[in-house]
Amino acid sequence: MSRVMLTASEARLKSLQDIFVLREIRDLEEEVILAAADGAVEVTVSTTSTMAKNPTDTGYALATEYYNTWTGVNDSRQLRLQMAKVIQYFSDLGYTIDRQINPTSQTTFQWVIAW
């Protein structure tokens, strides 16, 4: 009899909601390309499609959930895995990528990517 149930790995992949991760990565890639074209060796990104927002941005409430997960206020395995996937993607390409508290909001983070 063939297997009917998902493996844990398959279930985890389905739950990551890869579209959020893909959009986040694409937003960050675009900022890196633009900054590098200007001669920079680092970029700070405070507004992306999902994870990093300013208080006036659409989706700010969801970005605070990512921040609260990052800081340990909430324990969302899904959000933690999504952020880890973004970090791993850029790390695998040789970039240094960190999250910092967004000084504008104090309740979201911003990405800092260096090359």
Side-chain angles (χ1 to χ4, degrees), residues 1-62:
M1 182 172 160
S2 66
R3 181 174 55 88
V4 177
M5 182 61 182
L6 297 171
T7 66
S9 295
E10 291 167 340
R12 186 171 36 258
L13 286 173
K14 282 186 169 290
S15 70
L16 279 179
Q17 298 179 343
D18 283 335
I19 194 68
F20 293 140
V21 174
L22 175 66
R23 287 179 181 153
E24 195 75 7
I25 287 170
R26 296 298 176 238
D27 289 348
L28 295 174
E29 284 178 331
E30 184 175 342
E31 294 297 329
V32 167
I33 290 168
L34 292 171
D38 287 341
V41 295
E42 179 178 285
V43 66
T44 300
V45 183
S46 60
T47 300
T48 62
S49 60
T50 306
M51 298 179 193
K53 299 282 186 183
N54 287 309
T56 56
D57 297 334
T58 301
Y60 174 73
L62 179 57

Side-chain angles (χ1 to χ4, degrees), residues 29-97:
E29 284 178 331
E30 184 175 342
E31 294 297 329
V32 167
I33 290 168
L34 292 171
D38 287 341
V41 295
E42 179 178 285
V43 66
T44 300
V45 183
S46 60
T47 300
T48 62
S49 60
T50 306
M51 298 179 193
K53 299 282 186 183
N54 287 309
T56 56
D57 297 334
T58 301
Y60 174 73
L62 179 57
T64 62
E65 291 179 36
Y66 281 95
Y67 174 83
N68 289 336
T69 299
W70 172 53
T71 58
V73 173
N74 292 342
D75 185 27
S76 171
R77 181 173 170 80
Q78 181 185 47
L79 299 184
R80 194 171 51 251
L81 289 170
Q82 288 175 359
M83 290 183 284
K85 198 167 183 180
V86 171
I87 292 167
Q88 188 64 51
Y89 175 83
F90 283 96
S91 296
D92 287 350
L93 292 173
Y95 292 91
T96 301
I97 180 168

